[in-house]
Amino acid sequence: MLFRSNKDYDLSIETYQKIIEVAPNHCEDIIHHLESMLSEIPGNTHLQKILAKLMLNACKPKEALTYINRITEHHPELKTDVEALLKEAINLFPENIDCLMTFSETLVNSHKFTDAVQYLEKIRYITQEKDEQLLFILDQIRSSQPDHGYALELAATIYIDQKEFKNTLAILDRLIEIKDSKDTFISTKLDAIAALSPELRSQSLELKAKLFLSLNDSESCITLCQSLISETPNAITPRLLLCRAFINFEAYQEAKIELKGILNAFPSNWEAHYLSKTLQESIMSREITRMESNQEILFADNEKVFRTGMIFLRQGAFNRAVELFQKIQDTDPFFIKAQVLVSRCFMEMCRYDLDRKSTRLNSSHLVISYAVFCL
């Protein structure tokens, strides 16, 4: 054409576009001319986009993807245009795996992870032959956003279908931790693994007990843990879960008994020691709530007032601790200890001005003051 011979490519492209509008039956001929023109101006993205659209209209999605991928490779800043072209491709060819896969990868590169997983899920609905590619893309998502629940769910579904049960359990455990999944999804998968893999049955049921605990269903957790302990008395995980469930259920006496047994059998287990601390704090919190609701603290003796103040101090409720410590009269044996702990509270709150006022103690009390201060 005249415009092309004069190297006026923009006008030539515009002319070809007008021809297509009035003579769509000549699409193949126009594609041929435009591809020939592209060989002369290979970097013209406008022409590449037109060719991609023409290929889609000509029912050639594979050829369209060639141009779309070329734009993506050389012009990453045009990702909005690329996404629009891929959306158009999927609208025309909704079950084309290559289009769906390319769009998913493009969305991942744009950090649109939820949208990407939606298309990956569609691919899996059509075929399971691309599972390894799907897992690769899902790993990319998880490397950027490890706790993306939607991506974790799809990965778990693929792994369980591949009978990769250990990988599935690891993902289900993470889903329980982040609480970003439907409990029925997790429960169903755990039941399936328990039925299909005898060697992983105990681990699956332990995770189910953990799921019950995360749902505040302490009773179901207790029942399941007791069943597991009767089957494997030396396993520590169900015993720790049982102890947590007892604490949540405010069955503190049962928790004490279970913790004592755990610490006797596993004296170096850090989680058991942490649970011991949690149990003591729970007991103290309940006692404080009871005393406050009955207004017992108003009529308690100085020793009980002092010990309640200690509980508040350990919980970080410094103002409430100071309030109780200052109730103790200077004639009481607990007075010196209480004043030292008032100073400790002020220091914890970074109120050094008040701390200096509260530490003017007689030198004869220095030893006891230091000992109490270090509590």
Side-chain angles (χ1 to χ4, degrees), residues 313 318-319 321-323 325-326 338-359 373:
L313 172 58
F318 303 119
N319 284 320
V322 168
E323 182 183 347
F325 290 140
Q326 289 181 335
Q339 291 306 303
V340 172
L341 291 175
V342 167
S343 176
R344 164 75 178 275
C345 290
F346 287 144
M347 288 192 69
E348 294 284 357
M349 292 188 288
C350 300
R351 292 298 307 274
Y352 303 115
D353 53 329
L354 297 174
D355 169 46
R356 285 192 293 272
K357 295 177 183 178
S358 66
T359 52
F373 188 82

Side-chain angles (χ1 to χ4, degrees), residues 65-94:
L65 285 176
T66 301
Y67 290 111
I68 292 171
N69 288 332
R70 191 182 299 179
I71 296 169
T72 302
E73 182 181 354
H74 296 291
H75 299 280
E77 73 279 4
L78 297 177
K79 59 184 179 182
T80 303
D81 294 330
V82 168
E83 287 180 18
L85 286 168
L86 287 168
K87 279 184 181 178
E88 186 176 340
I90 290 170
N91 287 334
L92 292 169
F93 308 98

Side-chain angles (χ1 to χ4, degrees), residues 63-324:
E63 290 78 0
L65 285 176
T66 301
Y67 290 111
I68 292 171
N69 288 332
R70 191 182 299 179
I71 296 169
T72 302
E73 182 181 354
H74 296 291
H75 299 280
E77 73 279 4
L78 297 177
K79 59 184 179 182
T80 303
D81 294 330
V82 168
E83 287 180 18
L85 286 168
L86 287 168
K87 279 184 181 178
E88 186 176 340
I90 290 170
N91 287 334
L92 292 169
F93 308 98
E95 295 192 356
N96 185 287
I97 300 299
D98 292 331
C99 290
L100 291 167
M101 192 73 76
T102 302
F103 195 27
S104 298
E105 291 170 342
T106 302
L107 290 169
V108 169
N109 291 333
S110 299
H111 287 190
K112 298 177 181 178
F113 299 132
T114 301
D115 292 336
V117 177
Q118 181 182 349
Y119 286 100
L120 294 176
E121 198 170 46
K122 188 171 183 179
I123 292 170
R124 188 140 207 287
Y125 179 78
I126 297 168
T127 178
Q128 295 186 12
E129 294 179 1
K130 301 290 184 179
D131 279 357
E132 293 306 319
Q133 284 179 260
L134 298 188
L135 287 171
F136 179 78
I137 297 172
L138 289 169
D139 283 343
Q140 287 182 309
I141 294 172
R142 290 162 59 194
S143 66
S144 296
Q145 195 171 329
D147 293 338
H148 193 286
Y150 198 4
L152 288 169
E153 283 185 6
L154 182 54
T157 300
I158 294 173
Y159 278 132
I160 199 169
D161 288 344
Q162 292 181 336
K163 293 185 169 49
E164 294 283 347
F165 297 132
K166 288 185 178 179
N167 288 336
T168 310
L169 288 176
I171 291 174
L172 294 176
D173 189 14
R174 191 62 202 149
L175 284 170
I176 294 170
E177 290 283 343
I178 64 176
K179 299 180 180 180
D180 190 20
S181 180
K182 293 180 180 178
D183 54 281
T184 50
F185 173 87
I186 300 172
S187 182
T188 302
K189 295 289 185 286
L190 289 172
D191 288 341
I193 295 172
L196 294 169
S197 177
E199 66 273 16
L200 294 174
R201 178 179 176 276
S202 294
Q203 188 178 347
S204 300
L205 294 178
E206 286 170 5
L207 282 180
K208 191 164 186 180
K210 185 176 178 180
L211 174 63
F212 286 140
L213 198 60
S214 73
L215 298 171
N216 294 318
D217 187 356
S218 298
E219 290 187 76
S220 296
C221 181
I222 290 168
T223 302
L224 182 53
C225 286
Q226 288 173 335
S227 174
L228 284 168
I229 292 167
S230 67
E231 294 176 11
T232 52
N234 296 325
I236 187 171
T237 301
R239 297 182 69 179
L240 290 169
L241 287 169
L242 179 61
C243 189
R244 285 187 180 277
F246 279 143
I247 293 172
N248 287 1
F249 203 55
E250 296 189 4
Y252 298 138
Q253 189 59 36
E254 290 84 348
K256 280 183 181 180
I257 294 169
E258 190 59 43
L259 258 179
K260 184 178 179 181
I262 294 172
L263 288 169
N264 284 337
F266 307 94
S268 300
N269 185 275
W270 70 268
E271 189 174 350
H273 287 282
Y274 179 81
L275 280 174
S276 181
K277 172 177 174 288
T278 302
L279 175 60
Q280 294 304 317
E281 289 175 347
S282 299
I283 293 171
M284 289 188 293
S285 294
R286 185 174 70 172
E287 180 63 14
I288 288 172
T289 301
R290 185 189 65 79
M291 291 177 67
E292 287 182 332
S293 64
N294 297 331
Q295 295 190 320
E296 287 184 25
I297 198 65
L298 298 176
F299 310 103
D301 57 40
N302 284 330
E303 181 178 357
K304 181 168 280 189
V305 170
F306 177 80
R307 296 194 182 283
T308 306
M310 285 287 292
I311 293 171
F312 283 131
L313 172 58
R314 287 170 179 163
Q315 290 181 329
F318 303 119
N319 284 320
R320 299 181 75 182
V322 168
E323 182 183 347
L324 290 177

Side-chain angles (χ1 to χ4, degrees), residues 321-339:
V322 168
E323 182 183 347
L324 290 177
F325 290 140
Q326 289 181 335
K327 286 179 179 290
I328 299 175
Q329 301 299 314
D330 57 2
T331 56
D332 192 275
F334 285 97
F335 176 73
I336 298 299
K337 293 180 182 179
Q339 291 306 303

